[in-house]
Amino acid sequence: DAQTKSAFGNAHPFVLFRRFQDAARVRPALLRDALLRIGELDLRIKSTPNDPALLIEAFVFRWCTRRSG
């Protein structure tokens, strides 16, 4: 349907299947923590004069290194 096409584009079904498998391996606590930190990041972006791109880059770097460590 159109809504599914809008959400996933022209991705091959097997590729989507694999991504969903990958996502299922992420611990819920880690996702909750990331969502809380994203909320904090959103507030910092909106309430400080800091460069949003740098704030987002720092968040992604910290989150990815935390996941791998």
Side-chain angles (χ1 to χ4, degrees):
D1 68 2
Q3 188 176 10
T4 303
K5 185 83 167 164
S6 172
F8 299 109
N10 292 322
H12 190 278
F14 183 72
V15 172
L16 293 174
F17 172 74
R18 291 296 308 223
R19 295 302 68 89
F20 287 130
Q21 279 185 323
D22 293 342
R25 286 191 284 269
V26 177
R27 292 175 301 130
L30 185 67
L31 292 177
R32 278 191 299 275
D33 183 57
L35 285 173
L36 288 172
R37 292 183 187 282
I38 287 172
E40 294 166 358
L41 173 64
D42 182 55
L43 184 61
R44 285 182 63 201
I45 288 171
K46 292 175 179 174
S47 63
T48 66
N50 297 328
D51 181 5
L54 291 177
L55 293 172
I56 293 168
E57 182 179 323
F59 166 81
V60 170
F61 180 76
R62 279 192 307 271
W63 195 73
C64 290
T65 55
R66 203 168 148 214
R67 284 188 63 208
S68 64

